[in-house]
Amino acid sequence: MPSDNHHKSLSKPETLQIRTNFQPIVLLGFMGAGKTSVARALANKLACEWVDLDKYVERKARKSIPEIFKSLGERAFRQLEIVSLKEVMLNGTVHVIALGGGAWTIEENRKAVAENNFLSIWLDAPFKLCWQRVTNEDANRPLAVNETAARKLFDLRRGIYEQATFKIEIKPENSPENIADQIISLVTGR
Ligand code: S3P
């Protein structure tokens, strides 16, 4: 059996080589657009590290997102989100980040993404698809109160999501792997 060290010394240069061929990426878009599953598929294909920002915030706060909203409020959540995003980008080993649906609407986050030279990609999924997924998943989203409120937020945010470097139109039939392939050809020109 190879030792852990042996395994590390074999896999590290490979990962580094693949990773340095790509500008690091943040995925943004509305709740239910598929940011987390696409980030996972993309990181798998690129053999790089990835982070789901919501999960990172939850670990940092030792609370679930609904608990953070309930006990500390949305403002405190946004502050945690800002600090977490900077931490993850500065870490230097993470190549793909799935943002939470509201992170890109905060100017400080957009600035930090640009300053850290991450590429921003908007997963532009239609509202109907997002809402279908949000209501089908048991993940508790404090800002998905009802369809009318969510649609309002969706319409309000589109103008800000549009500031991303790239946009990918998401159709219901697109699998995360398929979208990851589209992103790879977008960023490599292949
Ligand atoms: C939010 C989206 C959620 C999470 C939080 C707030 C938003 O992330 O960050 O509930 O403001 O749209 P997902 O987009 O991953 O659901």
Side-chain angles (χ1 to χ4, degrees):
M1 276 288 280
S3 71
D4 264 7
N5 279 345
H6 177 67
H7 176 73
K8 270 187 198 141
S9 65
L10 270 183
S11 63
K12 207 173 172 193
E14 228 177 274
T15 311
L16 276 179
Q17 196 199 345
I18 296 168
R19 177 150 50 85
T20 48
N21 286 339
F22 295 88
Q23 193 179 344
I25 292 164
V26 296
L27 298 179
L28 59 114
F30 200 66
M31 295 174 266
K35 302 178 293 290
T36 302
S37 5
V38 173
R40 186 184 295 114
L42 184 59
N44 211 6
K45 285 175 189 282
L46 296 177
C48 69
E49 278 189 42
W50 72 286
V51 160
D52 180 76
L53 193 62
D54 286 340
K55 287 273 162 304
Y56 188 95
V57 168
E58 287 184 326
R59 273 200 303 271
K60 193 175 173 68
R62 294 168 195 263
K63 282 184 172 66
S64 70
I65 290 185
E67 279 165 3
I68 301 172
F69 269 74
K70 203 164 165 234
S71 62
L72 307 169
E74 182 174 351
R75 265 172 95 95
F77 169 75
R78 295 298 171 202
Q79 280 311 314
L80 267 168
E81 194 175 43
I82 288 171
V83 172
S84 300
L85 177 60
K86 287 183 183 163
E87 268 176 25
V88 174
M89 289 193 297
L90 284 174
N91 165 294
T93 62
V94 176
H95 203 62
V96 174
I97 305 174
L99 298 182
W104 184 255
T105 67
I106 309 293
E107 194 185 359
E108 193 170 348
N109 290 334
R110 297 198 297 276
K111 258 194 184 157
V113 167
E115 278 165 12
N116 285 280
N117 211 21
F118 273 62
L119 201 66
S120 49
I121 302 181
W122 171 25
L123 303 187
D124 181 17
F127 177 76
K128 224 177 120 187
L129 179 62
C130 292
W131 187 248
Q132 215 172 42
R133 287 176 178 165
V134 165
T135 48
N136 281 342
E137 289 167 16
D138 30 87
N140 214 336
R141 289 167 162 118
L143 293 186
V145 187
N146 60 57
E147 189 170 348
T148 314
R151 181 182 281 280
K152 236 178 154 173
L153 200 60
F154 180 91
D155 291 339
L156 204 73
R157 286 177 172 176
R158 285 188 65 82
I160 311 178
Y161 291 155
E162 261 163 15
Q163 296 176 31
T165 320
F166 291 117
K167 158 173 119 164
I168 297 208
E169 273 177 38
I170 308 294
K171 298 185 184 76
E173 62 271 24
N174 294 145
S175 68
E177 286 71 25
N178 173 255
I179 298 162
D181 285 337
Q182 288 185 50
I183 294 175
I184 291 173
S185 36
L186 199 67
V187 299
T188 60
R190 271 184 269 132

